[in-house]
């Protein structure tokens, strides 16, 4: 970026948020090309006003080349000199005011945030020598979303942001929900990788809604009867596990207090035995059959295994939320190994436990927690019927109330138009990567502030590793190029290289036999 400003033209039209400039023909020569996205400055009687070129138009030769400029903000002029940059414009340019290029000093004034703890994510589109910074506390306190089509670089963006946060804050507490086992290699020894193979998430941790989703038939005339029966049985076994003489009035069907699976089966059998009509036993038989089926399915072993039961809630929370950190500030929960029938329930349990843990922590002893949710449109869809209600409500509760208790959320999605608007609108910062789908662009347009609307037109043409960043963590809306991630810290890509692998016969009968064996034994 130049050290001295150069005149580009003059203002011929001004609205509240936009300026039209008539460019001098000599200003658009090859020696100093003007691009969409360039910063410009306009000197007024009361302020230096800054904007970004959104449209260049030379279609009407009689008028000369025109530039449409979105206003960003201003630096007020006082007797002491030019003040700090601030968003919003009160001293609008007048007709005939000069439009100038900006200098490196101008860009630093606009994009830097003196006195604010920030992390570097990359460089500015306008000048690769200038760092793109986001304010750490504003990013985490007020939630964020990373939105972009498949192949736009979302996974690397997630890894880069979280790595930069943890480099500056090595005692963090992050839970990353990883649906495709992509991220374990991205954080190395900093990550505690959890999957059903190395964690017990016992049935008693589920609240009643989650238990119904796992154990009760989805359809059938006796569904409501099964729900009523299950509610009574779970309440009985939760209270029966309490120590002798202990008050159980505080225990409800949702209280995360332990109970034995064998005791639940026994209670259902005993209650069924008290019936006077055999036909009334059908709901009991279906519940018992479902419980026995899940108990015998090794895929569900992390939830149903174990003859003995003990209160492991504190251990699960400590490991999940990295308290104490012990050199591993991020937990990666590998959801790829969770049976598809209950993955939504598992996500619901994790999100709900995070909020409840923060809610019931002693005042003044808050441990800030960050939930990062990949494929957020699956768990918090716009249309309620497409997802599991408790999961969406758990994420929504964090988005709406979490900041009061030190809980934040980062939403990642390649289908932003399918994401619940009420939830993503709570995100104070949005990273919009390349997206060509018009529905997705329209969705992002609804949640972006008015001053950033001009940047939307660049979304279909963003390159991988580029993004538009808007919101409270950015000084102003900006287009950035992310820094490179070293290869060893990039998320795992599972895309098959057809053109390479199909050059030769790359597998044999043993490969098929081994695959069948893993399939049958449910071992990856």
């Amino acid at each position: 970026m130049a050290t001295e400003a150069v005149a580009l033209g003059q203002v011929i039209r001004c609205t509240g948020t936009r300026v039209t400039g008539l460019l001098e023909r000599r200003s658009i020569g090859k020696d100093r090309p003007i691009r969409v996205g360039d910063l410009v400055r306009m000197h007024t009687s009361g302020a230096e006003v800054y904007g970004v070129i959104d449209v260049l138009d030379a279609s009407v030769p009689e008028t000369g080349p025109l530039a449409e400029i979105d206003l960003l903000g201003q630096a007020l002029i006082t007797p002491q000199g030019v003040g700090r940059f601030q968003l919003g414009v009160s001293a609008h340019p007048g007709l005939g005011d000069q439009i100038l290029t900006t200098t490196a000093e101008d860009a630093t004034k606009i994009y830097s945030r003196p006195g604010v703890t920030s992390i570097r994510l990359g460089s500015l589109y306008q000048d690769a020598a200038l760092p793109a910074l986001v304010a750490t506390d504003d990013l985490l306190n007020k939630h964020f979303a990373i939105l972009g089509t498949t192949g736009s670089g979302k996974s690397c963006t997630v890894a880069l942001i979280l790595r930069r946060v943890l480099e500056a804050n090595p005692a963090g507490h992050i839970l990353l929900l990883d649906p495709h086992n992509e991220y374990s290699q991205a954080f190395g020894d900093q990550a505690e990788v959890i999957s059903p193979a190395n964690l017990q998430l016992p049935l008693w941790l589920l609240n009643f809604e989650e238990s119904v989703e796992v154990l009760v038939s989805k359809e059938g005339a006796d569904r409501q009867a099964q729900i009523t029966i299950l509610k009574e049985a779970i309440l009985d076994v939760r209270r029966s596990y309490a120590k002798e003489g202990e008050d159980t009035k505080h225990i409800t069907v949702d209280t995360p207090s332990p109970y034995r699976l064998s005791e639940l089966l026994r209670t259902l059998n005993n209650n069924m035995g008290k019936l006077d009509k055999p036909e009334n036993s059908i709901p009991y038989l279906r519940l018992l059959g479902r419980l026995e089926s899940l108990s015998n399915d090794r895929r569900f072993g992390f939830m149903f295994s174990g003859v003995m039961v003990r209160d492991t809630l504190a251990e699960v929370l400590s490991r999940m939320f990295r308290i104490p950190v012990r050199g591993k500030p991020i937990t990666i929960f590998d959801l790829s190994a969770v049976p598809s029938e209950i993955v939504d329930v598992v996500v619901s349990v994790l999100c709900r436990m995070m909020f409840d843990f923060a809610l019931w922590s002693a005042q003044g002893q808050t441990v800030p927690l960050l939930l990062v949710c990949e494929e957020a449109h699956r768990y918090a869809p716009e249309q309620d019927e497409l997802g599991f209600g408790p999961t969406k409500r758990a994420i929504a509760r964090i988005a709406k109330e979490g900041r009061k208790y030190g809980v934040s959320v980062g939403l990642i999605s390649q289908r932003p138009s399918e994401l619940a608007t009420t939830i993503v609108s709570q995100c104070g910062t949005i990273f919009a990567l390349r997206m060509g789908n018009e529905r997705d662009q329209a969705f992002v347009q609804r949640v972006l502030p008015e001053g950033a609307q001009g940047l939307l037109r660049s979304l279909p043409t963003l390159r991988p590793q580029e993004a538009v960043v808007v919101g409270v963590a950015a000084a102003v809306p900006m287009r950035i190029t992310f820094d490179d991630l070293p290869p060893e810290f990039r998320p795992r890509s599972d895309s098959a290289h057809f053109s390479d692998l199909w050059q030769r016969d790359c597998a044999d009968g043993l490969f098929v036999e081994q695959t069948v064996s893993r399939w049958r034994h449910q071992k990856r």
Side-chain angles (χ1 to χ4, degrees), residues 120-125 127-132 479-483:
R120 175 194 165 113
L121 296 182
S123 57
L124 296 176
Y125 169 77
D127 187 348
L130 294 175
R479 179 173 172 177
I480 74 172
T481 301
F482 290 109
D483 287 338

Side-chain angles (χ1 to χ4, degrees), residues 298-299 513-523:
R298 67 180 304 154
R299 296 178 303 152
E513 291 176 6
Q514 291 172 339
T515 300
V516 169
S517 177
R518 287 193 296 271
W519 185 356
R520 285 175 174 162
H521 292 87
Q522 298 295 305
K523 286 186 176 181

Side-chain angles (χ1 to χ4, degrees), residues 78-103:
T78 68
Q80 290 74 37
V82 180
R84 292 176 58 181
F85 174 82
Q86 55 189 226
L87 290 172
V89 176
S90 58
H92 283 79
L95 297 179
D97 283 350
Q98 259 194 335
I99 301 172
L100 307 167
T101 61
T102 52
T103 64

